[in-house]
């Protein structure tokens, strides 16, 4: 088949096809005498894949990697691309909401410049918060040994005390029926999400660590894994029946935790449920008491471990849920571990 016919069939232009040829993505046979190109079925398949990937915004360079690397599978790239688009989408949603508020304020007041500046500052802060999170614990590196390590007790401080009971409590608390969709955020190797599979619940696992997601997929192929972040979940609005998360939220600071709750609330359906089990204190008083006790016992390992992460103030999370029309129940396992179960009213 010649270039014009190919262009017509694939609804593109001869110029675009030549561009991909120049970039080395396709190499149709060229007639030495007249330079006419002939495209085989294989060239057509390759070209239509290139066009489809370009359509969803994947760069020419990344397409080359996908096509040239036998190890690289298209699904991996699509997943990365979807996460990137969700990030952009959430940012654009934020911008539109901010503009809506600006329009409102300009309508009601003569002198609204201060308000507008405040709103744009807020938008900037949100963008920075979303972009600035760094994985200082290097979960990619921890992934292969994670399941083994949580069984260890640690020296003088066992951060995973009551781990099994806590995960089981989430499963018995949240009520999901076969066919329901459950999102597990910070899924790690899938220890919580996988507990829903036997009852026919569909599970999407989100994690910022690709290596954790790989481990999760190997152990539980039926979990759909997606790369993503607490603050930009790679899901559409009101898409899931339940959100669960275990031992993950304490990797983001308290103010960001409230944004994470907002994200969970965005993706969960009306009357949906959110169940979080994590390292947290009941409130600041409780935190002081616990730290004081460790100090008086000379348990610096415990203090260092706690201060290396962002254990939540449970009362702040409960307040947020109450203010946003959720009904909240709680359960405390030990001094540093609690569960919050919130249902949308
Ligand atoms: C301690 S592991 C817990 C894994 C699993 N939920 C469990 O209970 O065994 C924490 C997980 O949260 C993920 N994580 C940490 N911060 C995150 C963030 N901001 N967004 C998404 N995932 C995050 C890490 O990559 C890691 O897989």
């Amino acid at each position: 088949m010649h270039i014009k016919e190919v262009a017509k069939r694939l609804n593109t232009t001869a110029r675009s096809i030549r561009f991909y040829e120049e970039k080395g993505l396709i190499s149709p046979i060229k007639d030495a005498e007249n330079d006419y190109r002939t495209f085989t079925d294989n060239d057509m398949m390759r070209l239509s894949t290139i066009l489809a990937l370009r359509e969803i915004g994947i760069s020419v360079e990344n397409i080359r990697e996908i096509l040239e690397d036998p190890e690289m599978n298209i699904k991996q790239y699509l997943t990365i691309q979807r996460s990137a688009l969700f990030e952009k989408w959430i940012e654009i949603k934020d911008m539109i909401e901010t503009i809506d508020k600006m329009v409102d304020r300009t309508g009601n007041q003569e002198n609204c410049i201060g308000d507008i500046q405040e709103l744009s500052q807020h938008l900037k802060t949100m963008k920075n918060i979303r972009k600035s999170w760094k994985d200082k614990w290097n979960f990619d590196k921890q992934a292969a040994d994670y399941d083994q390590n949580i069984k260890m007790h640690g020296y003088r401080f066992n951060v995973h005390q009551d781990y099994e009971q806590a995960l089981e409590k989430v499963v018995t608390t949240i009520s999901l029926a076969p066919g329901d969709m459950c999102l597990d955020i910070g899924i790690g190797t899938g220890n919580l999400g996988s507990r829903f599979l036997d009852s026919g619940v569909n599970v999407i696992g989100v994690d910022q660590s690709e290596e954790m997601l790989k481990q999760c997929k190997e152990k539980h192929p039926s979990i759909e894994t997606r790369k993503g972040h607490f603050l930009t979940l790679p899901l559409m609005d009101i898409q899931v029946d339940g959100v669960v998360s275990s031992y993950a939220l304490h990797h983001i600071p308290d103010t960001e935790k409230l944004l994470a709750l907002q994200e969970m609330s965005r993706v969960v359906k009306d009357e949906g449920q959110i169940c979080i089990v994590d390292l947290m204190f009941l409130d600041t008083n409780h935190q002081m008491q616990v730290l004081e006790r460790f100090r008086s016992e000379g348990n610096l390992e415990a203090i260092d471990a706690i201060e290396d992460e962002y254990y939540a103030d449970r009362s702040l999370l409960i307040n947020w849920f109450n203010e946003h029309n959720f009904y909240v129940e709680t359960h405390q396992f030990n001094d540093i571990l609690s569960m919050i179960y919130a249902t949308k009213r």
Side-chain angles (χ1 to χ4, degrees), residues 133 135 137 139 146 150 160 163 167 184-192 206-209 212 228-231 245-248 250-252:
W133 189 86
D135 178 2
W137 302 272
F139 282 106
Y146 178 76
I150 48 175
H160 288 112
Y163 178 82
L167 266 49
D184 181 351
I185 313 175
I187 190 166
T189 57
N191 293 342
L192 175 58
V206 167
D207 205 290
Q208 58 82 36
S209 155
M212 283 286 191
H229 192 281
F230 267 114
L231 304 183
S245 182
S246 57
Y247 292 82
H250 66 283
H251 296 107
I252 57 176

Side-chain angles (χ1 to χ4, degrees), residues 184 187 189-198 203 219-220 223:
D184 181 351
I187 190 166
T189 57
N191 293 342
L192 175 58
S194 60
R195 292 177 191 227
F196 295 95
L197 295 173
D198 282 349
V203 178
K219 279 170 66 189
H220 312 289
I223 294 183

Side-chain angles (χ1 to χ4, degrees), residues 15 145-146 217 224 236 240 312 336:
R15 198 159 163 244
D145 301 324
Y146 178 76
K217 196 74 188 166
E224 185 191 333
M236 302 303 279
V240 299
I336 54 164

